[in-house]
Amino acid sequence: MLNLGVLVSGGGTNLQAIIDKIESGYLNNCRISVVISSKKDAYALERAARHGIPAVCILRKDFASLDEYDEALIECINKYNVDLVVMAGFLCLLGEKFNKAFKNRVINVHPSLIPAFCGKGYYGIIPHQKALEYGVKVTGATVHFVELEADAGPIILQKAVYINDDDTPESLQKRVMEEAEWVILPEAIKLYSEGRIEVDGRKVRIKGL
């Protein structure tokens, strides 16, 4: 059984996608052992409570330094015997200590086709606004391993979403979530749980494809 620790900051739609896939049997050898929120009022905490999943709130402002915040997160993750950390809309910066402790054991979903519209400051609605401003015809989502630099780790999966002429940032955000994020994040977790992901430098190879 693969124990997941899901890091959240907001509504928890990607958390819900994972919960749904566990309950449907798609992620049949996974369970969420803890949800960690960076905000007290994150709706994701309500989602966790509804499904009987342990949830804690660890606020960055409660710690004097990033190292101390990292240590608190590491302690919590280890307490719940987490095998894979899943960042699902987690908006807090993670430091070097955290990244070293869980190298190639932390994945994130980002709402664009990396390396486009990603990096520092590109979160929430912003990647969709920028995609529309630039006039690209295709956007999507990316699941990648987390490294110290934002959105820079090895890419596991990507899924494209075509942009419509009448798209707004909000409509595009919704479609990218539904058509891409909610699909490839559970898929990446499944691949990891089956031992089918191999990291070789910047490249991720998926066994059995």
Side-chain angles (χ1 to χ4, degrees), residues 58-66 68-70 72-73:
I58 304 177
L59 303 178
R60 172 65 181 90
K61 67 181 180 63
D62 290 344
F63 299 89
S65 68
L66 184 54
E68 288 178 22
Y69 186 58
D70 277 1
L73 290 172

Side-chain angles (χ1 to χ4, degrees), residues 27-83:
L27 294 172
N28 62 350
N29 60 340
C30 299
R31 69 178 177 194
I32 300 172
S33 57
V34 66
V35 169
I36 303 173
S37 176
S38 66
K39 292 184 178 179
K40 286 180 181 176
D41 59 351
Y43 186 67
L45 293 171
E46 176 68 24
R47 293 182 192 271
R50 279 187 202 166
H51 294 271
I53 300 167
V56 297
C57 187
I58 304 177
L59 303 178
R60 172 65 181 90
K61 67 181 180 63
D62 290 344
F63 299 89
S65 68
L66 184 54
D67 268 3
E68 288 178 22
Y69 186 58
D70 277 1
E71 285 167 8
L73 290 172
I74 291 166
E75 184 181 344
C76 181
I77 288 165
N78 287 336
K79 176 185 171 185
Y80 286 93
N81 299 311
V82 169
D83 302 303

Side-chain angles (χ1 to χ4, degrees), residues 80-140:
Y80 286 93
N81 299 311
V82 169
D83 302 303
L84 178 67
V85 179
V86 181
M87 294 176 66
F90 188 71
L91 300 180
C92 270
L93 186 70
L94 297 172
E96 192 170 350
K97 190 169 280 190
F98 186 93
N99 279 273
K100 280 185 176 177
F102 301 110
K103 184 170 176 60
N104 290 341
R105 288 175 54 204
V106 186
I107 64 172
N108 178 52
V109 61
H110 179 77
S112 77
L113 295 175
I114 292 173
F117 313 116
C118 68
K120 189 176 179 183
Y122 281 81
Y123 60 88
I125 200 80
I126 296 168
H128 308 293
Q129 290 172 336
K130 297 297 183 183
L132 291 175
E133 286 170 11
Y134 201 89
V136 296
K137 302 298 183 185
V138 181
T139 185

Side-chain angles (χ1 to χ4, degrees), residues 12-22 27 181-183 186:
T13 53
N14 280 304
L15 168 64
Q16 189 65 53
I18 298 166
I19 292 170
D20 292 346
K21 291 293 188 181
I22 290 173
L27 294 172
E181 292 179 51
W182 298 351
V183 176

